[in-house]
Amino acid sequence: MTDLRHPSASSAVPIRADRRVFASILLVVFGVDLFVTLALGALPRMPPLALDLVDALSLTILGAPLLWFIIAKPLSLAAEVQRLRLEARVATVLRSCGDGILTTDARGIISHVNAGAEGLFGYAASEVVGQYVNLLLPARAHGPHEEHLARFAAGPDHSRAMGQEALVEGRRKNGEIFPAEVTISKLGEGDDAVLTAIVRDATERKRMEEGLLLFRALLDRSNDMILVADPKTGRFLDMNQKTCVDLGYSREEMLTMSVFDVDPTLDRASFGHNAEALRKTGLLLREGVRRRKDGSTFPVEDSISRIELDREYNVAVARDITERKRAEVDLRLQSAALNASAVPKLITDRDGTVVWVNRAFTECTGYSAGEAVGKNPRVLLRSGVHDAAFYKPLWDTILAGHVWRGEMTNRRKDGSLYPEMQTITPVRNRSEEHTSELQSLRH
């Protein structure tokens, strides 16, 4: 880069030179004036007006150099000093700029690089100045770049941003290829054009974009509906694919809607109440309803959080709980039916610990639910009538996943014995694992 010194650093030499020039101008003016005076004295006597005109002309001719030295030259020197100072400032900015800056001619021959470009590409300025700009590009980009360079140099545009939508590539001295954003500008036209390129390493931007794409893919593959809404208006700002599928709307349609369009239980008052709760705690858990495009509804469990980035956002994760609600209804019905049964029934876990009994069990055995739950039936009901040989085939049958039926003598809370026909049914989960048992005690 050009070394531009401050103008004051060499001011002593111009001052001594200007004194000699001033003395020379005075001698020349004196000599010319003396010559004109002697010449006019040798000529025939002239009218006074003519003498005045000659004197004025002589004064103008002789004063012009002096006027230039006193007025015009200092002004010219001041302008030159200002230009040098401006160039020094520009050079400082170019040296300190973090982005790489390169200047080429219309053919692509590099004439200047700044320190940022040296650090970005790994070349010293002396290694690239005079070289073709393809030195800084991967081989696969040479052809397209040459075509682009020729079109830009000959075209009407004076600036163009590259890499905004699709990143371009650069090549470092060590052969490493990196993504880059490039802005080029042009001064002049045709073969006389001077091109300047500002190059920024976009490695981090590309990494972030790839991370966002991965995050978006994960969101769209989620089994839950995820929506982002404006906390003030409730208008949707973004959503995952699961939301669109479950509600029957396209993404474009959803972006014109708000939470009030899909939640029939929500009004302005409840929305404000929820917003206040979010401001205080940052998280809101609730059960709600979603309305599909066809008008049908289904229950959901909402987890709503307030997130602050460049602004505040409400992020709702909604899970369809239709199956859970149906299971809850079925469970209540089954529980009611079991409780209403006149046959004593109890449910144990896989280890035989009681987890539930019906009213008939209490009436038959004398043990309340509080006394029975958490205990093992052999502690509560064993009569001592049956030995280990009796219980072995019972447990072999149950652990094999089969229903056991047989007659057994049990003991009530008051110690009395009673015979009963017992049915023990093993219960399996969705993975076909033995998790509990339902016992019916008919006496």
Side-chain angles (χ1 to χ4, degrees):
M1 296 176 62
T2 305
D3 181 18
L4 299 176
R5 295 179 296 171
H6 194 279
S8 62
S10 58
S11 58
V13 175
I15 289 175
R16 290 195 295 269
D18 288 347
R19 287 173 179 172
R20 289 195 296 270
V21 171
F22 182 71
S24 300
I25 290 175
L26 288 179
L27 288 174
V28 171
V29 170
F30 176 76
V32 172
D33 188 51
L34 179 62
F35 173 77
V36 171
T37 301
L38 294 176
L40 291 176
L43 293 176
R45 187 173 182 81
M46 300 175 65
L49 180 60
L51 289 174
D52 292 340
L53 291 174
V54 171
D55 285 342
L57 181 61
S58 300
L59 185 60
T60 300
I61 295 172
L62 295 174
L66 194 59
L67 290 173
W68 172 83
F69 182 82
I70 296 174
I71 299 175
K73 190 171 187 301
L75 292 176
S76 175
L77 180 60
E80 179 66 12
V81 170
Q82 186 65 24
R83 183 185 67 81
L84 292 175
R85 286 175 176 169
L86 180 60
E87 288 183 357
R89 292 193 189 102
V90 171
T92 300
V93 171
L94 292 179
R95 280 194 299 270
S96 61
C97 180
D99 294 334
I101 301 177
L102 306 92
T103 301
T104 74
D105 60 17
R107 298 170 300 162
I109 303 301
I110 300 172
S111 59
H112 172 86
V113 296
N114 73 336
E118 291 179 317
L120 182 61
F121 290 98
Y123 288 99
S126 58
E127 294 178 286
V128 296
V129 171
Q131 300 295 320
Y132 192 53
V133 72
N134 277 355
L135 175 68
L136 307 179
L137 301 174
R140 59 177 172 269
H142 289 180
H145 177 263
E146 290 169 2
E147 295 175 5
H148 172 78
L149 185 67
R151 286 197 305 270
F152 181 70
D157 295 338
H158 288 272
S159 66
R160 182 176 300 172
M162 302 165 60
Q164 298 301 309
E165 295 182 358
L167 296 174
V168 297
E169 291 180 322
R171 180 182 178 277
R172 307 188 204 277
K173 183 178 181 179
N174 62 7
E176 179 188 353
I177 308 299
F178 66 95
E181 300 172 2
V182 182
T183 301
I184 57 175
S185 60
K186 177 176 64 176
L187 182 64
E189 302 293 339
D191 293 340
D192 296 327
V194 176
L195 308 181
T196 299
I198 301 176
V199 185
R200 174 171 296 176
D201 189 337
T203 301
E204 188 61 29
R205 170 188 154 185
K206 184 177 181 181
R207 185 180 296 115
M208 290 179 62
E209 289 177 348
E210 290 173 346
L212 286 173
L213 288 174
L214 175 60
F215 183 64
R216 183 78 207 190
L218 292 174
L219 288 181
D220 283 338
R221 284 161 177 75
S222 171
N223 288 325
D224 294 328
M225 294 175 284
I226 302 175
L227 299 106
V228 181
D230 187 309
K232 294 181 179 179
T233 65
R235 183 165 293 278
F236 294 133
L237 303 175
D238 200 1
M239 69 289 304
N240 68 344
Q241 186 63 27
K242 175 69 172 176
T243 301
C244 299
V245 171
D246 282 5
L247 297 181
Y249 292 99
S250 68
R251 176 179 167 80
E252 290 70 24
E253 289 175 313
M254 290 289 296
L255 290 174
T256 66
M257 299 164 60
S258 71
V259 293
F260 303 104
D261 297 314
V262 298
D263 189 345
T265 67
L266 197 64
D267 55 22
R268 291 291 175 183
S270 56
F271 180 77
H273 176 75
N274 291 343
E276 184 64 26
L278 276 173
R279 274 192 292 271
K280 291 180 179 178
T281 65
L283 179 66
L284 178 65
L285 301 176
R286 61 185 284 269
E287 287 191 3
V289 176
R290 289 292 181 274
R291 180 168 51 212
R292 301 184 181 92
K293 187 176 182 178
D294 62 10
S296 60
T297 61
F298 60 97
V300 296
E301 183 179 69
D302 280 324
S303 173
I304 308 171
S305 56
R306 177 69 56 83
I307 296 177
E308 187 170 347
L309 298 173
D310 58 323
R311 50 170 291 190
E312 289 186 333
Y313 299 91
N314 281 356
V315 178
V317 179
R319 175 166 296 178
D320 186 342
I321 56 175
T322 301
E323 290 301 320
R324 191 178 85 186
K325 287 293 185 181
R326 185 178 294 120
E328 289 175 355
V329 171
D330 291 345
L331 184 60
R332 285 196 295 269
L333 291 174
Q334 292 168 8
S335 178
L338 289 173
N339 259 321
S341 174
V343 177
K345 296 181 183 295
L346 72 152
I347 298 176
T348 67
D349 62 18
R350 192 178 189 278
D351 296 325
T353 302
V354 176
V355 296
W356 177 88
V357 297
N358 68 349
R359 286 191 294 269
F361 174 87
T362 299
E363 294 170 357
C364 175
T365 66
Y367 290 104
S368 68
E371 293 173 312
V373 171
K375 304 290 194 309
N376 193 292
R378 64 174 174 266
V379 176
L380 296 173
L381 305 176
R382 175 168 289 188
S383 64
V385 173
H386 307 290
D387 58 12
F390 174 84
Y391 287 104
K392 185 178 185 306
L394 182 154
W395 281 108
D396 289 344
T397 301
I398 294 172
L399 293 177
H402 304 301
V403 177
W404 181 87
R405 293 183 179 88
E407 186 174 343
M408 184 181 296
T409 300
N410 282 334
R411 182 188 302 273
R412 295 187 178 92
K413 182 178 179 181
D414 62 10
S416 62
L417 302 180
Y418 67 98
E420 66 182 10
M421 181 59 69
Q422 189 169 128
T423 302
I424 304 177
T425 306
V427 180
R428 297 181 179 274
N429 60 18
R430 291 183 178 180
S431 300
E432 293 300 314
E433 296 172 333
H434 180 190
T435 59
S436 58
E437 295 153 7
L438 173 63
Q439 299 185 24
S440 299
L441 317 175
R442 188 181 298 273
H443 62 86

